[in-house]
């Protein structure tokens, strides 16, 4: 029995099923395989997550920020706050997850500019950054005290990177001039010359810092 002898509603359902199968193959199998193949051939590093490696081991991704803290005295204590390690360039604050930079908890604080908690946290962060880097509180850049919208931003401003040069150099026993040149070499210009602001990728900068020794 051919489909023309079937009721109209049945024939419509069969046609719809055929279209579903065709587009499932095209958009669910063929297209993903094509895009994946082109990406792996043309941009293998980006297609695999822009992973950063040290001594042959994956230590992160240049697309995702991460904390550079000292080990906690009691790792099992969730209430103990980890302190930043002076030997590393520090990222901007993060509201993603309880400890920040959790890829599965990407978010912002969602607090408005007049929120008392946000105002207090900014004041506390400004004071902490000024003390940590031994600079005047008024000179602390905005990205040192405010989180990004995603909470995963790996970039900081050149101003914040340069602010940390003296502290990192002293903690590592390096020349401040050498560390300053390292930062200068990692400053990225605006995308296409006009999009965004100049930036420094902290993950890549700290990885390059290891190679100085």
């Amino acid at each position: 029995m051919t489909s023309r002898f079937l009721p109209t509603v049945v024939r419509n359902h069969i046609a719809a099923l055929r279209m579903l199968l065709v587009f499932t193959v095209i958009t669910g199998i063929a297209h993903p395989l094509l895009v994946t193949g082109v990406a792996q051939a043309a941009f293998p590093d980006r297609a695999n997550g822009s992973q950063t490696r040290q001594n042959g081991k994956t230590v992160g991704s240049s697309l995702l920020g991460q904390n550079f803290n000292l080990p906690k005295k009691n790792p099992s204590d969730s209430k103990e706050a980890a302190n930043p390690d002076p030997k590393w360039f520090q990222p901007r604050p993060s509201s993603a997850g309880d400890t920040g930079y959790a890829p599965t908890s990407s978010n912002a604080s969602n607090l408005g500019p007049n929120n008392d908690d946000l105002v207090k946290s900014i004041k506390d962060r400004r004071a902490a950054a000024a003390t940590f880097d031994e600079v005047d509180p008024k000179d602390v850049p905005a990205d040192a005290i405010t989180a990004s919208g995603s909470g995963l931003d790996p970039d900081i401003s050149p101003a914040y990177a340069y602010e940390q040069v003296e502290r990192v150099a002293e903690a590592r026993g390096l020349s401040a001039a050498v560390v300053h040149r390292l930062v200068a070499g990692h400053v990225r210009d605006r995308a296409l010359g006009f999009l965004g602001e100049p930036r420094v990728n902290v993950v890549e900068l700290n990885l390059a810092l290891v190679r100085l020794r």
Side-chain angles (χ1 to χ4, degrees):
M1 181 181 294
T2 60
S3 60
R4 60 197 177 99
F5 296 111
L6 295 174
T8 301
V9 65
V10 174
R11 285 190 279 116
N12 287 342
H13 278 76
I14 292 175
L17 180 59
R18 288 174 177 170
M19 293 299 297
L20 174 62
L21 293 175
V22 169
F23 280 101
T24 296
V25 172
I26 293 175
T27 62
I29 299 177
H31 181 264
L33 287 176
L34 175 62
V35 172
T36 300
V38 171
Q40 290 291 342
F43 313 103
D45 179 62
R46 296 182 182 181
N48 290 296
S50 299
Q51 299 176 19
T52 54
R53 294 178 174 82
Q54 180 182 348
N55 298 326
K57 296 182 178 180
T58 299
V59 295
S61 168
S62 61
L63 301 176
L64 300 173
Q66 57 181 277
N67 292 307
F68 294 91
N69 295 327
L70 293 166
K72 296 169 64 173
K73 295 181 179 178
N74 186 3
S76 61
D77 185 1
S78 60
K79 295 182 179 180
E80 180 186 349
N83 294 315
D85 192 333
K87 298 191 301 295
W88 300 105
F89 285 92
Q90 294 297 314
R92 63 188 304 173
S94 171
S95 298
D98 294 335
T99 59
Y101 290 103
T104 57
S105 302
S106 175
N107 60 33
S109 67
N110 291 326
L111 299 178
N114 296 322
N115 183 278
D116 291 338
D117 291 338
L118 179 62
V119 172
K120 181 180 183 304
S121 68
I122 287 178
K123 289 182 179 179
D124 292 344
R125 289 169 180 169
R126 185 185 299 279
T131 300
F132 192 54
D133 293 328
E134 298 183 354
V135 298
D136 193 307
K138 66 179 178 60
D139 294 329
V140 175
D143 59 310
I145 58 179
T146 55
S148 66
S150 68
L152 305 177
D153 190 354
D155 299 324
I156 59 175
S157 66
Y160 188 29
Y162 286 126
E163 176 188 292
Q164 304 182 61
V165 165
E166 294 288 342
R167 184 248 303 155
V168 171
E170 181 179 356
R172 289 181 172 270
L174 297 171
S175 164
V178 170
V179 180
H180 189 281
R181 286 197 296 271
L182 185 69
V183 172
H186 281 77
V187 175
R188 298 179 181 176
D189 293 329
R190 293 177 174 87
L192 302 178
F194 66 94
L195 294 176
E197 295 294 331
R199 63 207 184 279
V200 176
N201 188 298
V202 178
V203 177
E204 294 179 346
L205 178 60
N206 279 335
L207 194 61
L209 189 62
V210 176
R211 300 190 184 107
L212 283 181
R213 290 191 175 277

